[in-house]
Amino acid sequence: MAALSGAARGWGRWQPCALAAAAALAVCAFYYLGGGGETFSSATRRLRATPPAPAHRHPQRGGEAAGRDLHLLMMFTKAERSPTLRAKGQAALRSLLRHGRLGDGDALHIHLVTDGASRDIGLGLLRDLRGAAFRHQVIVHDVNELTEKLFPIVEAMQKHFSAGSGTYYSDSIFFLSVAMHRIMPKEITQVIQVDLDLKYKTNIRDLFDEFDNFPEGAVIGIAREMQPVYRHTFWQYRRENPRTKVGEPPPDGLPGFNSGVLLLNLEAMRQSKLYNQLLEPSMVQNLTEKYHFKGHLGDQDFFTMVGMEHPELFHVLDCTWNRQLCTWWKDHGYSDVFDQYFQCKGEVKIYHGNCNTPIPED
């Protein structure tokens, strides 16, 4: 997520999604989850019963197990007001398709979370899937339906991790990843959630392989924040605990997380007693008081705070999987330490143009 402002994500309340435009993408199977009495589970059963669209034939990777369902979720809202957002979404999708190669029998299920006004635009962008080198389906989620499910779960934490002083119903969507294990059907055991301001430089299938590297007890895969955002946010705790690693740069410090690329092991999240306890209002309150924490970046703030207390819940992705480019904090009081956070060695796999930072051309 952008390290500068939670408001920059620009979410609100939107009109329900209609089904009419789904026919425009005959190459894919489109289902609206949540409308007309449809539930996540019933829609998923229909999804599983309908074969994904066939791949446009390119050489496939060899030696891989067949039949793996790969779930990728992205947000696409208020696009009718933002040509920049549309351009970012198109660039991200095209780079994903350029490098994407799946194993025989694999299928990529793209979950598009959108509002009524943005749905048609999003489906239009996804026409590029006609040239995909892999089987695929698109599942459209209405943001209002998700918000209704999320609000009772995350209401208590919103005041700690949202911009402003109140708890707003529409802010709940910022916490989708936090509680996705409770609203997605049990048939879906793993999801990767990504921001739109990304550029893929490698095969998305390789990112799904990172699930196999989770240590025992880990439920979420996430990369470190690459700016001193949380050095700033935890200033009071750091002042009271001068020897703490909280907010310190890598490799030995705890700089916090960036949620632009998230690997969510939904099954592990469902099974983890500790993780689900941490969603309880009393636990959130205790941790925010301990760390004097007040953020504005939604799920990213929650994961960062929890990671300070329980790092065992997280598999830390290499920085090359979420190579953030924003340098805002370098010019706002932290130039002396900025490079300690911003450095990233290795060949970049995914660029993240957070805070509207241009992404390098090929």
Side-chain angles (χ1 to χ4, degrees):
M1 297 292 182
L4 178 56
S5 171
R9 289 183 257 178
W11 299 79
R13 299 187 65 182
W14 304 282
Q15 297 299 316
C17 180
L19 288 171
L25 285 178
V27 68
C28 300
F30 289 95
Y31 295 107
Y32 164 56
L33 306 187
E38 184 100 313
T39 66
F40 276 103
S41 296
S42 63
T44 300
R45 284 194 294 271
R46 292 206 291 127
L47 183 154
R48 294 174 66 192
T50 305
H56 182 74
R57 288 300 174 190
H58 288 285
Q60 296 274 358
R61 290 167 33 138
E64 297 187 31
R68 186 174 180 183
D69 288 315
L70 310 173
H71 294 271
L72 183 71
L73 183 144
M74 55 190 69
M75 311 283 191
F76 192 74
T77 59
K78 292 197 173 181
E80 80 285 0
R81 307 180 191 177
S82 177
T84 301
L85 179 64
R86 298 196 294 271
K88 289 178 179 178
Q90 185 174 60
L93 180 63
R94 287 182 175 176
S95 66
L96 185 151
L97 295 177
R98 186 178 306 120
H99 298 282
R101 298 289 184 271
L102 305 186
D104 290 337
D106 287 349
L108 183 66
H109 304 275
I110 299 178
H111 297 255
L112 188 69
V113 177
T114 189
D115 56 83
S118 302
R119 176 183 48 81
D120 292 350
I121 299 171
L123 298 185
L125 294 180
L126 289 168
R127 288 192 180 97
D128 284 344
L129 283 168
R130 286 178 291 191
F134 45 80
R135 298 193 309 148
H136 51 272
Q137 287 183 314
V138 175
I139 308 97
V140 179
H141 302 265
D142 176 64
V143 72
N144 278 334
E145 295 290 336
L146 293 185
T147 299
E148 183 179 349
K149 298 173 186 294
L150 284 169
F151 187 69
I153 305 172
V154 303
E155 178 183 7
M157 69 176 64
Q158 288 182 205
K159 64 182 179 181
H160 302 293
F161 312 122
S162 299
S165 58
T167 297
Y168 301 99
Y169 180 80
S170 60
D171 286 343
S172 299
I173 200 64
F174 295 122
F175 300 88
L176 175 60
S177 60
V178 171
M180 196 183 296
H181 62 298
R182 294 191 180 179
I183 62 175
M184 277 288 187
K186 292 184 177 180
E187 293 92 338
I188 298 178
T189 59
Q190 298 175 343
V191 171
I192 293 179
Q193 180 176 327
V194 293
D195 282 358
L196 277 182
D197 53 350
L198 303 180
K199 184 175 184 178
Y200 301 87
K201 301 292 290 181
T202 194
N203 190 353
I204 189 67
R205 179 66 164 78
D206 295 338
L207 182 57
F208 281 93
D209 288 343
E210 279 289 319
F211 280 111
D212 297 333
N213 297 328
F214 277 36
E216 185 177 357
V219 301
I220 293 167
I222 188 170
R224 299 292 192 191
E225 171 61 43
M226 295 182 65
Q227 294 195 91
V229 179
Y230 294 108
R231 186 185 189 97
H232 181 84
T233 306
F234 285 104
W235 70 268
Q236 185 173 349
Y237 181 83
R238 287 170 52 80
R239 186 177 65 181
E240 295 173 357
N241 300 271
R243 300 178 64 86
T244 185
K245 293 184 178 181
V246 170
E248 287 291 298
D252 299 323
L254 299 172
F257 293 127
N258 182 281
S259 59
V261 176
L262 282 170
L263 276 62
L264 305 172
N265 188 329
L266 302 185
E267 184 60 27
M269 293 168 74
R270 294 173 185 128
Q271 296 296 325
S272 174
K273 182 178 180 180
L274 173 59
Y275 182 78
N276 286 283
Q277 286 176 338
L278 290 166
L279 299 181
E280 296 297 324
S282 60
M283 295 293 288
V284 174
Q285 183 68 32
N286 289 341
L287 287 180
T288 55
E289 289 178 357
K290 173 179 177 177
Y291 289 104
H292 308 293
F293 193 95
K294 179 65 177 79
H296 63 279
L297 297 176
D299 58 354
Q300 176 172 310
D301 287 334
F302 176 76
F303 294 143
T304 290
M305 188 185 70
V306 168
M308 300 303 175
E309 193 78 4
H310 296 287
E312 70 273 17
L313 289 172
F314 299 92
H315 167 58
V316 179
L317 296 174
D318 188 81
C319 63
T320 57
W321 280 117
N322 181 3
R323 206 311 174 205
Q324 302 138 53
L325 299 173
C326 182
T327 60
W328 190 88
W329 287 96
K330 184 175 184 177
D331 301 321
H332 292 82
Y334 292 94
S335 60
D336 57 330
V337 297
F338 184 84
D339 289 342
Q340 298 177 49
Y341 295 83
F342 196 67
Q343 63 181 341
C344 178
K345 298 178 180 179
E347 185 176 354
V348 174
K349 300 179 179 72
I350 298 177
Y351 279 112
H352 184 186
N354 49 336
C355 71
N356 294 313
T357 307
I359 296 176
E361 298 291 336
D362 290 330

